[in-house]
């Protein structure tokens, strides 16, 4: 008879051979999920023996993870900024850097919370929902060009009872919004910014399972960043902030272009591993 600990160890060993980046952690998540336990509860039950009926579903998931299906698709969620976000093929799996992005913006608005927020390319809805929770008096608009992604984002909003705080609109970037509305205190986006070449070098979990549409942009990853930057001013209220996640090599040119787009105080910010990954610029007060 195999104990939980035996299964954790065997699965970890198998994942190591398959090149899974966090073998032990993923083994624990999959086993806990299959047994309907919280991951930490496994530690209290390591000596518990498992029946064949319990082992069969674990084996299936371990095999799929070994073939490099993302953990978040197998267990169906990711825990993000205090929200359990449902994940599947319809949208990008939220990344840990995006949690840092939220922290930074939370700091920027410490004195005066934003009342109207726009999330461009909402995907799973993660940024829109996190901000709706952090800033309870804000109304959030979230757009996406993919109707699949919007469907997932709406499901996530319903799960977290935030559907009345966030309105979802189908369309490319600002397309679904009235022009010159100048309404938003904060425009956020984690747009596609990888070059084709960078995308080719991503892990199999990313390349084969995240929508390519959510990751890749033409012109060395610049195209979508420029599109958003160029149109941001007419949708920001005076003093409003545009904040985007970017690649590491994008800031210099974005800072130049921000000026041309009528934005001020353009600056890059680094993530916790000191990589320049966040770009901020404001509409001047006038
Ligand atoms: N806004 C979503 C996220 O940050 C989706 C981003 C995307 O699809 N590029 O996860």
């Amino acid at each position: 008879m195999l104990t939980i600990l035996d299964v954790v160890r065997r699965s970890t060993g198998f994942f190591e051979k398959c090149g899974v980046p966090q073998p032990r952690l993923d083994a624990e998540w999959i086993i806990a999920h299959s047994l309907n336990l919280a991951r930490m509860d496994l530690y209290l039950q390591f000596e518990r023996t498992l029946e064949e009926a319990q082992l069969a579903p674990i084996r299936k998931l371990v095999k799929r993870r070994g073939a490099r299906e993302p953990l978040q698709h197998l267990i169906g969620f990711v825990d993000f900024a205090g929200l359990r976000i449902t994940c599947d093929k319809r949208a990008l799996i939220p990344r840990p850097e995006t949690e840092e992005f939220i922290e930074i913006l939370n700091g920027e608005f410490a004195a005066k919370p934003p009342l109207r927020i726009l999330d461009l390319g909402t995907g799973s809805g993660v940024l829109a929902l996190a901000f709706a929770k952090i800033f309870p008096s804000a109304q959030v608009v979230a757009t996406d060009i993919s109707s699949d992604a919007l469907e997932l984002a709406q499901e996530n909003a319903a799960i977290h009872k935030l559907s009345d705080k966030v309105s979802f609109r189908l369309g490319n970037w600002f397309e679904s919004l009235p022009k010159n509305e100048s309404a938003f205190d904060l425009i956020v986006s984690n747009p596609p910014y990888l070059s084709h070449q960078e995308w080719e070098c991503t892990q199999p979990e990313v390349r084969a399972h995240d929508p390519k549409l959510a990751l890749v942009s033409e012109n060395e990853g610049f195209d979508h960043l420029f599109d958003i930057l160029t149109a941001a001013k007419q949708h920001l209220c005076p003093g409003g902030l545009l904040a985007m996640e970017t690649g590491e090599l994008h800031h210099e040119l974005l800072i130049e272009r921000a000026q041309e787009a009528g934005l001020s105080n353009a600056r890059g910010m680094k993530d916790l591993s000191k990589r320049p990954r966040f770009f901020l610029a404001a509409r001047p007060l006038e």
Side-chain angles (χ1 to χ4, degrees):
M1 286 288 251
L2 291 174
T3 64
I4 288 187
L5 186 58
D6 294 330
V7 182
V8 168
R9 287 190 172 140
R10 285 182 187 201
S11 309
T12 304
F14 174 65
F15 288 163
E16 276 165 5
K17 279 197 215 114
C18 299
V20 170
Q22 296 184 296
R24 167 83 186 214
L25 192 63
D26 284 17
E28 291 180 2
W29 270 114
I30 284 175
I31 295 161
H33 174 73
S34 302
L35 298 174
N36 213 1
L37 294 173
R39 189 173 67 86
M40 281 304 149
D41 290 341
L42 285 183
Y43 284 75
L44 306 173
Q45 304 188 21
F46 270 160
E47 298 313 317
R48 178 178 147 199
T49 54
L50 298 178
E51 315 276 324
E52 182 50 35
Q54 293 166 311
L55 287 169
I58 296 177
R59 270 195 213 102
K60 253 194 207 153
L61 291 183
V62 166
K63 194 168 161 213
R64 288 170 65 186
R65 185 69 191 102
R68 309 296 296 274
E69 268 189 62
L71 174 73
Q72 298 86 343
H73 286 182
L74 298 176
I75 63 176
F77 65 86
V78 63
D79 286 329
F80 184 100
L83 298 168
R84 182 153 284 193
I85 298 290
T86 299
C87 290
D88 58 36
K89 272 190 139 0
R90 286 176 288 177
L92 188 80
I93 297 169
R95 306 292 205 260
E97 301 87 85
T98 304
E99 273 186 302
E100 289 178 41
F101 187 44
I102 291 174
E103 277 305 304
I104 288 176
L105 294 175
N106 202 358
E108 293 286 320
F109 286 90
K112 190 169 175 270
L115 291 177
R116 290 208 62 198
I117 301 172
L118 172 63
D119 174 20
L120 297 170
T122 195
S124 62
V126 72
L127 281 170
L129 298 176
F131 285 120
K133 198 178 141 204
I134 296 171
F135 301 119
S137 19
Q139 277 300 325
V140 184
V141 176
T143 74
D144 207 290
I145 198 171
S146 153
S147 50
D148 278 350
L150 275 188
E151 197 183 83
L152 176 62
Q154 275 163 317
E155 286 168 22
N156 274 316
I159 290 169
H160 294 289
K161 305 201 171 6
L162 290 168
S163 306
D164 59 334
K165 297 269 177 211
V166 186
S167 77
F168 294 95
R169 306 205 188 149
L170 183 67
N172 195 22
W173 307 133
F174 300 94
E175 200 177 64
S176 60
L177 302 168
K179 284 213 172 33
N180 296 315
E181 198 186 13
S182 309
F184 296 99
D185 303 303
L186 171 62
I187 298 177
V188 289
S189 186
N190 177 19
Y193 54 73
L194 296 185
S195 65
H196 285 278
Q197 207 181 359
E198 285 169 323
W199 180 82
E200 294 288 348
C201 298
T202 56
Q203 296 280 353
E205 286 86 347
V206 177
R207 218 165 45 248
H209 299 279
D210 274 323
K212 191 172 181 186
L213 181 74
L215 288 165
V216 175
S217 181
E218 298 303 319
N219 185 16
E220 292 303 306
F222 272 112
D223 264 12
H224 292 306
L225 292 165
F226 285 158
D227 287 349
I228 294 173
L229 187 67
T230 310
K233 188 180 168 196
Q234 56 178 303
H235 295 280
L236 283 168
C237 53
L241 186 71
L242 166 70
M244 300 188 285
E245 282 198 49
T246 69
E248 292 179 40
L249 302 175
H250 290 139
H251 289 181
E252 207 180 322
L253 204 50
L254 285 175
I255 288 171
E256 242 178 75
R257 290 288 183 99
Q259 227 176 11
E260 291 164 27
L263 300 175
S264 62
N265 199 13
R267 60 210 189 270
M269 291 179 92
K270 293 187 174 156
D271 66 10
L272 290 177
S273 31
K274 306 255 179 288
R275 296 174 309 156
R277 298 271 285 93
F278 311 119
F279 173 83
L280 274 59
R283 175 170 170 179
L285 275 171
E286 278 139 20

